[in-house]
Amino acid sequence: MKNISKYKVDRGILIALILFAFISIITIFSAQNLLSSYMQDLALRQLVWYLIGFALAYFIMFIGNDYIYRNIWFLYGFGVIMLIGLLLFAPTINDAKCWFSIPGIGTIQPSEFMKIILIITLGTMIHNFNTNYSSPTVKEEFIFLLKVMLVVAIPSILTFLQPDTGVVLIYLLITGVMLFISGIRYRWFAIAFGIVGFFIGSVLFIYFFNTDLFIQVFGTSFFLRVDRLLDWSNKSGFQLENGMSAIGSGGLLGNGYGKTPIYFPEPQTDFIFAVYASNFGFIGTTILLSLIVFFDIRLIMIAVKSGSNTNKYIIAGIVGMLLYQQLQNIGMTFGLMPITGITLPFISYGGSSLLSYMIMAGIIFNISNEQMRFTN
């Protein structure tokens, strides 16, 4: 019988999560003057999501990672069914079918949970392949990569159709990072980059030289998404310009809590970093960035110390996902990256994203304490 009375968690990760929760809630509350009247309770909602998230992380620690790993294909299938259900039954919100609307709760975004499911699925696939083939041939690796491509392609296509290009990019980045450390031959990456480069080059060629053909082949929706990605470099746009102005106005100590001096859309999600930087200035921003760096390094250290290759692969996928979202979200508020709607992990408002991160936290706690978690 497993006894959790003496269960221990990684204090560094736990303290970071508590600080993330505090920063997230106060920053969302600070953004209230920029939000519509029906969103004035978002800080309270975020507090509730965090409480549910910590309970969910505890539940993950209770059942253990092995149970999740054994049942990951069931979870993968469930995640795919949810993505299909979005396209068939979900209401259209902001020209997209990304969320299920649940009365009394709000919206649930299945693609956020699919990111974690995909990480675990790929981690178990890579581990099983390396266990079965200590010195795989080129043919064996090729067959394995085809299987990986199929597993990644299904949720990627379904998510792209919603449409949510940003999450699709995260799926692909997760896959690339995990395969890179898996030990497969690097020639596959050269081939992949060549194919992707050719495809992107062809798409851009048609985009620039035959707009009508581009829209006819790829559709108006994809044209608008490409146009938005390519337009970021001129650093124009109401949201970006006002967000940068708010950040710049913060100075050394900030304008003060709740005193964001200029309006910009989505201050609770996409541009929450601009709200925080405006309120707390350079010093506050340095503290937040230091906390993010500490959290990421802590995850890497846990992976290095883990004796399980599956755990190493999974943490690699988690770190790759977090780093991309952190760099993308913060970078786009400065005009260094295109505005893609990627949120800042643990800080931006969002029930689905936060719960998925707390599931991830529970998995990480299990990995860091796998030798001392339970006593007989």
mmCIF file of all heavy atoms in Angstrom, residues 31 41 77 81 117 152 156 179 182 223 233 242 262 271 293 305 309 312 339 376:
data_model
loop_
_atom_site.group_PDB
_atom_site.id
_atom_site.type_symbol
_atom_site.label_atom_id
_atom_site.label_comp_id
_atom_site.label_asym_id
_atom_site.label_seq_id
_atom_site.Cartn_x
_atom_site.Cartn_y
_atom_site.Cartn_z
ATOM 1 N N ALA A 31 -4.815 44.875 -14.599
ATOM 2 C CA ALA A 31 -5.244 45.171 -15.971
ATOM 3 C C ALA A 31 -6.732 45.469 -16.070
ATOM 4 O O ALA A 31 -7.247 45.676 -17.178
ATOM 5 C CB ALA A 31 -4.890 43.995 -16.887
ATOM 6 N N ASP A 41 -13.907 40.222 -13.302
ATOM 7 C CA ASP A 41 -13.658 39.178 -12.302
ATOM 8 C C ASP A 41 -12.582 38.181 -12.743
ATOM 9 O O ASP A 41 -12.460 37.097 -12.165
ATOM 10 C CB ASP A 41 -14.947 38.429 -11.993
ATOM 11 C CG ASP A 41 -15.502 37.683 -13.212
ATOM 12 O OD1 ASP A 41 -15.096 38.013 -14.351
ATOM 13 O OD2 ASP A 41 -16.327 36.774 -13.024
ATOM 14 N N GLY A 77 -5.992 9.362 -27.885
ATOM 15 C CA GLY A 77 -7.229 9.179 -28.626
ATOM 16 C C GLY A 77 -8.330 10.112 -28.152
ATOM 17 O O GLY A 77 -9.072 10.687 -28.963
ATOM 18 N N ILE A 81 -10.240 13.041 -30.318
ATOM 19 C CA ILE A 81 -11.709 13.108 -30.387
ATOM 20 C C ILE A 81 -12.197 14.501 -29.989
ATOM 21 O O ILE A 81 -13.130 15.056 -30.610
ATOM 22 C CB ILE A 81 -12.332 12.024 -29.488
ATOM 23 C CG1 ILE A 81 -12.068 10.633 -30.072
ATOM 24 C CG2 ILE A 81 -13.841 12.255 -29.345
ATOM 25 C CD1 ILE A 81 -12.506 9.497 -29.169
ATOM 26 N N ILE A 117 -0.292 15.997 -23.742
ATOM 27 C CA ILE A 117 -0.512 14.621 -24.189
ATOM 28 C C ILE A 117 0.505 14.240 -25.258
ATOM 29 O O ILE A 117 1.075 13.130 -25.232
ATOM 30 C CB ILE A 117 -1.943 14.456 -24.732
ATOM 31 C CG1 ILE A 117 -2.952 14.588 -23.589
ATOM 32 C CG2 ILE A 117 -2.111 13.111 -25.431
ATOM 33 C CD1 ILE A 117 -4.396 14.621 -24.044
ATOM 34 N N VAL A 152 1.955 13.131 -34.864
ATOM 35 C CA VAL A 152 1.972 14.595 -34.753
ATOM 36 C C VAL A 152 1.034 15.228 -35.773
ATOM 37 O O VAL A 152 0.387 16.251 -35.493
ATOM 38 C CB VAL A 152 3.405 15.134 -34.926
ATOM 39 C CG1 VAL A 152 3.413 16.665 -34.899
ATOM 40 C CG2 VAL A 152 4.317 14.583 -33.842
ATOM 41 N N SER A 156 -2.105 18.129 -35.402
ATOM 42 C CA SER A 156 -1.668 19.359 -36.068
ATOM 43 C C SER A 156 -2.677 19.803 -37.120
ATOM 44 O O SER A 156 -3.036 20.986 -37.205
ATOM 45 C CB SER A 156 -0.297 19.151 -36.715
ATOM 46 O OG SER A 156 0.698 18.904 -35.742
ATOM 47 N N LEU A 179 12.959 14.817 -30.663
ATOM 48 C CA LEU A 179 13.686 13.958 -31.597
ATOM 49 C C LEU A 179 15.179 14.298 -31.611
ATOM 50 O O LEU A 179 16.026 13.415 -31.781
ATOM 51 C CB LEU A 179 13.109 14.105 -33.010
ATOM 52 C CG LEU A 179 11.748 13.455 -33.258
ATOM 53 C CD1 LEU A 179 11.265 13.776 -34.667
ATOM 54 C CD2 LEU A 179 11.820 11.941 -33.050
ATOM 55 N N SER A 182 16.850 12.484 -28.945
ATOM 56 C CA SER A 182 16.509 11.063 -28.904
ATOM 57 C C SER A 182 17.659 10.168 -29.336
ATOM 58 O O SER A 182 17.650 8.961 -29.049
ATOM 59 C CB SER A 182 15.298 10.790 -29.794
ATOM 60 O OG SER A 182 15.622 10.960 -31.168
ATOM 61 N N PHE A 223 -4.258 32.966 -45.915
ATOM 62 C CA PHE A 223 -3.629 34.176 -46.454
ATOM 63 C C PHE A 223 -3.517 35.254 -45.379
ATOM 64 O O PHE A 223 -2.477 35.900 -45.229
ATOM 65 C CB PHE A 223 -4.439 34.702 -47.643
ATOM 66 C CG PHE A 223 -3.966 36.036 -48.146
ATOM 67 C CD1 PHE A 223 -2.879 36.115 -48.995
ATOM 68 C CD2 PHE A 223 -4.607 37.209 -47.749
ATOM 69 C CE1 PHE A 223 -2.430 37.356 -49.463
ATOM 70 C CE2 PHE A 223 -4.163 38.440 -48.202
ATOM 71 C CZ PHE A 223 -3.077 38.516 -49.068
ATOM 72 N N SER A 233 7.317 42.718 -38.889
ATOM 73 C CA SER A 233 8.655 43.312 -38.917
ATOM 74 C C SER A 233 8.637 44.828 -39.031
ATOM 75 O O SER A 233 9.617 45.491 -38.671
ATOM 76 C CB SER A 233 9.471 42.724 -40.079
ATOM 77 O OG SER A 233 8.822 42.966 -41.313
ATOM 78 N N ASN A 242 0.975 50.524 -28.849
ATOM 79 C CA ASN A 242 0.546 50.924 -27.514
ATOM 80 C C ASN A 242 1.175 50.058 -26.426
ATOM 81 O O ASN A 242 1.497 50.542 -25.337
ATOM 82 C CB ASN A 242 -0.978 50.852 -27.413
ATOM 83 C CG ASN A 242 -1.657 52.013 -28.124
ATOM 84 O OD1 ASN A 242 -1.041 52.674 -28.945
ATOM 85 N ND2 ASN A 242 -2.913 52.246 -27.822
ATOM 86 N N ILE A 262 -1.868 53.481 -20.927
ATOM 87 C CA ILE A 262 -2.383 53.492 -22.293
ATOM 88 C C ILE A 262 -3.088 52.177 -22.577
ATOM 89 O O ILE A 262 -2.706 51.126 -22.059
ATOM 90 C CB ILE A 262 -1.233 53.739 -23.297
ATOM 91 C CG1 ILE A 262 -1.779 53.957 -24.704
ATOM 92 C CG2 ILE A 262 -0.221 52.592 -23.271
ATOM 93 C CD1 ILE A 262 -0.714 54.446 -25.672
ATOM 94 N N PHE A 271 -0.764 40.249 -24.094
ATOM 95 C CA PHE A 271 0.106 41.368 -23.738
ATOM 96 C C PHE A 271 0.156 41.603 -22.226
ATOM 97 O O PHE A 271 0.317 42.729 -21.771
ATOM 98 C CB PHE A 271 -0.356 42.640 -24.463
ATOM 99 C CG PHE A 271 0.263 42.804 -25.821
ATOM 100 C CD1 PHE A 271 -0.007 41.910 -26.830
ATOM 101 C CD2 PHE A 271 1.149 43.833 -26.083
ATOM 102 C CE1 PHE A 271 0.563 42.034 -28.079
ATOM 103 C CE2 PHE A 271 1.742 43.974 -27.325
ATOM 104 C CZ PHE A 271 1.443 43.068 -28.333
ATOM 105 N N VAL A 293 13.763 32.213 -15.657
ATOM 106 C CA VAL A 293 15.022 31.533 -15.948
ATOM 107 C C VAL A 293 15.315 30.471 -14.888
ATOM 108 O O VAL A 293 15.734 29.350 -15.208
ATOM 109 C CB VAL A 293 16.179 32.553 -16.039
ATOM 110 C CG1 VAL A 293 17.520 31.831 -16.125
ATOM 111 C CG2 VAL A 293 15.995 33.456 -17.249
ATOM 112 N N LYS A 305 19.313 14.794 -13.747
ATOM 113 C CA LYS A 305 19.453 13.879 -12.613
ATOM 114 C C LYS A 305 18.558 12.643 -12.724
ATOM 115 O O LYS A 305 18.768 11.672 -12.013
ATOM 116 C CB LYS A 305 19.132 14.621 -11.312
ATOM 117 C CG LYS A 305 20.133 15.723 -10.967
ATOM 118 C CD LYS A 305 19.716 16.438 -9.694
ATOM 119 C CE LYS A 305 20.696 17.554 -9.337
ATOM 120 N NZ LYS A 305 20.292 18.281 -8.102
ATOM 121 N N ASN A 309 15.083 7.503 -19.106
ATOM 122 C CA ASN A 309 15.163 8.188 -20.389
ATOM 123 C C ASN A 309 13.816 8.770 -20.796
ATOM 124 O O ASN A 309 13.749 9.848 -21.398
ATOM 125 C CB ASN A 309 15.675 7.237 -21.467
ATOM 126 C CG ASN A 309 17.165 6.960 -21.334
ATOM 127 O OD1 ASN A 309 17.913 7.794 -20.831
ATOM 128 N ND2 ASN A 309 17.592 5.778 -21.740
ATOM 129 N N LYS A 312 13.504 12.052 -19.206
ATOM 130 C CA LYS A 312 14.376 13.039 -19.860
ATOM 131 C C LYS A 312 13.729 13.573 -21.122
ATOM 132 O O LYS A 312 13.744 14.784 -21.388
ATOM 133 C CB LYS A 312 15.733 12.408 -20.187
ATOM 134 C CG LYS A 312 16.579 12.035 -18.974
ATOM 135 C CD LYS A 312 17.897 11.415 -19.417
ATOM 136 C CE LYS A 312 18.694 10.883 -18.221
ATOM 137 N NZ LYS A 312 19.166 11.957 -17.341
ATOM 138 N N ILE A 339 3.209 38.745 -33.726
ATOM 139 C CA ILE A 339 2.122 38.571 -32.776
ATOM 140 C C ILE A 339 1.296 37.367 -33.204
ATOM 141 O O ILE A 339 0.612 37.401 -34.230
ATOM 142 C CB ILE A 339 1.248 39.831 -32.703
ATOM 143 C CG1 ILE A 339 2.090 41.024 -32.238
ATOM 144 C CG2 ILE A 339 0.069 39.622 -31.761
ATOM 145 C CD1 ILE A 339 1.329 42.343 -32.235
ATOM 146 N N ASN A 376 6.826 2.334 1.946
ATOM 147 C CA ASN A 376 5.914 1.215 2.206
ATOM 148 C C ASN A 376 5.419 1.248 3.652
ATOM 149 O O ASN A 376 6.113 1.671 4.536
ATOM 150 C CB ASN A 376 6.628 -0.096 1.900
ATOM 151 C CG ASN A 376 6.956 -0.197 0.424
ATOM 152 O OD1 ASN A 376 6.165 0.279 -0.426
ATOM 153 N ND2 ASN A 376 8.055 -0.841 0.074
#
